[in-house]
Amino acid sequence: MAVSETAPVPGSSGLKHRVQASISKKTTPSGWVLPKQPSSYAPAGTWTNIDLDPTPLVRRTWTSLTILGYWVSDIISIQSWETGSTILVLGLSWREAIFAIVFGSSVMAVPMTLNGYTGAKCRVPFPVLARASFGYHFAKFPVIIRLVTCLFWHAITNFLAIAPATQVIRSIWPSYRNLPNHIPESVGITTQQMISYLVVWCVQFPIMLIPPHKMRWLFVVKVFATTATILGTVIWITVKAGGSGDIWDQQPTVSGAQKSWLIMSALNSCTASWSTVGVNIPDFTRYMANPRSSLTQGLWFPLVCSWVAIIGIVVTSASAVLYGEYLWNPISIIDKWEGPGGRAAAFFAGVSWCIAQICVNISATVISGANDMASLFPKYINIRRGAIILTILGGWVMVPWKILNSAGSLLTFMSSLGIFLAPIMGIQVGDFFLVKRGHIDVPALYEPHGRYRFTYGVNWRALVALLASVTPQLPGMINAVNLEIPIGGIKYLTNFNWYFGIVLCMAIHVGLSLLFPAHETLCSELIEGLGADEVSAGGSSVNEIESEEKGVKTSVKEA
């Protein structure tokens, strides 16, 4: 006689039976099928779940302060701190570095803010929103591009958290510094690094399972912890060094046309590096209580970007006075702190930077990648399951230490995926504001044969625009992977490929859409449908999803 997984069984015996029933159920593909939600917009024969549906009213908890916390969370990282160094090593001075950082982030803030407003207005994630621009089926292409990018950068960001985690552990057990290595050098990681990595991964894992609409507290924690650490570090080192050092006296080591192209390349890099977040920002702004509040990120984003990078330059300059060399990595400075007081400071600073890396990983890769998986396999994957799959694939299967210790061509190739992201962003922004004038039929986004099917599920206008903007950039992408392949003067296009891609793609898509309009996709107003305000999606269906993930299936009748 089968044991009912919902039948009440008292005591530990009941828990045992529920666990056994849940494990037995997951041994077949049908056991992984998610319950079809009553709030679903999908017609019969298709599948979706509450994580893909328009955000219910109960989940619209974000405010303008939340979006500030989000950007502080997403921007403050070791990578952002070192932005200045990546420009200075090219031969440019701090003046060009600060110009590239401030101007580049300000430019990115424009399409990012507009794209974020679209998500806040329509209340749907990027994978669903993309259907209005690309077509119901072609929308899977930008989703896959972003998912691949998320997997690689999740692995890399995980690995970069090893250094601060090591500082935390060695501040408690100083002998950890000298931990013998028992892993072959060919593996690409030491015993000490593996232990630190495992600690970070185990701490990060349960945090990833928190639903996005409940993450406000996480952003608050990071804001206070990292801000205190950054300000404390800059005050301490400038006092110890008697100022900010001599990096301000350095002059560029390049001139003429070479200098101009390097400035353009630095500017392009500072803009393009945020393309992934610029594309997926609707995944977060969909939780805004007031859509207009999402517009404040246009101010917060460049301010926080510039603040972190400039402080990184100041601290690095002062570090040369104290230690005789420029230490661009903040963890390298923390590693110099010894003695009881120094170890205590290293502990708190290490914890702060660990939180910084974990939060960046969650906000920039996990939630976005999980949304992508949920849209591609909605019958089996929701955001929570997607997060678990992503961190296992990106955290272990892809072997992050091999990625970082292998040929640089792999990382260069992944960075080159940005040639797709800028055009995707251009299509999204141009389509919503210039073609559809902000009028989207939200329920139709869930209908495979509805308003946004276009031609066989493909909007040929978006396809043509994408090909026209990406094709000229492919030689540069190939050359970036293999420098021995000559591509002639087109190599200069890589120095401003983000600007080229977004402007050209937007212009072509909007132009074709106006010359050859898809009349069936045009609305006179924004159609929200029933949506979350009129369906109790925040009640029984949300609870059912969360309970199902714990292995205890509940229903309204049983309640």
Side-chain angles (χ1 to χ4, degrees), residues 328-529:
W328 285 102
N329 191 323
I331 310 303
S332 299
I333 297 175
I334 298 172
D335 191 54
K336 303 285 186 181
W337 298 346
E338 298 290 353
R343 286 184 10 231
F347 174 83
F348 289 109
V351 168
S352 297
W353 283 112
C354 278
I355 293 174
Q357 291 304 113
I358 289 174
C359 287
V360 166
N361 223 354
I362 292 173
S363 60
T365 65
V366 173
I367 294 177
S368 300
N371 270 299
D372 294 337
M373 291 184 186
S375 71
L376 294 172
F377 310 101
K379 189 172 182 177
Y380 299 97
I381 298 177
N382 55 18
I383 287 183
R384 179 174 293 181
R385 289 183 180 181
I388 295 172
I389 295 171
L390 189 141
T391 194
I392 292 175
L393 290 178
W396 297 101
V397 176
M398 298 185 71
V399 196
W401 43 94
K402 284 290 186 181
I403 293 176
L404 290 173
N405 286 285
S406 62
S409 59
L410 179 58
L411 286 179
T412 304
F413 172 75
M414 290 310 303
S415 298
S416 298
L417 283 179
I419 69 173
F420 293 97
L421 296 176
I424 289 170
M425 198 186 314
I427 290 175
Q428 287 178 281
V429 173
D431 189 74
F432 182 79
F433 288 95
L434 300 178
V435 178
K436 295 184 172 62
R437 308 297 175 95
H439 302 152
I440 285 183
D441 184 350
V442 175
L445 294 172
Y446 298 86
E447 300 175 5
H449 299 278
R451 185 191 292 271
Y452 299 113
R453 180 172 174 79
F454 291 95
T455 305
Y456 299 108
V458 177
N459 182 0
W460 63 267
R461 303 156 192 82
L463 176 60
V464 171
L466 200 59
L467 289 174
S469 59
V470 170
T471 302
Q473 301 182 61
L474 291 179
M477 182 179 181
I478 296 171
N479 179 255
V481 175
N482 188 347
L483 296 175
E484 296 181 0
I485 300 178
I487 59 173
I490 201 170
K491 66 181 180 181
Y492 293 107
L493 181 60
T494 61
N495 292 325
F496 60 96
N497 59 8
W498 186 91
Y499 293 86
F500 174 85
I502 192 171
V503 172
L504 181 63
C505 196
M506 181 188 294
I508 294 176
H509 176 74
V510 172
L512 290 176
S513 298
L514 296 179
L515 289 174
F516 308 98
H519 295 288
E520 72 279 5
T521 67
L522 304 179
C523 311
S524 59
E525 60 182 354
L526 177 67
I527 303 174
E528 297 184 71

Side-chain angles (χ1 to χ4, degrees), residues 3-5 7-23 550-552:
V3 178
S4 172
E5 61 180 299
V9 184
S12 59
S13 176
L15 177 60
K16 179 181 178 181
H17 281 286
R18 287 196 299 270
V19 171
Q20 289 176 340
S22 179
I23 294 175
K550 296 176 183 177
V552 185

Side-chain angles (χ1 to χ4, degrees), residues 67 71 112-113 116 281 285 293-302:
I67 206 70
W71 280 118
M112 181 182 289
T113 300
I281 191 63
T285 54
S293 298
S294 68
L295 298 176
T296 58
Q297 66 181 324
L299 174 64
W300 301 138
F301 175 73

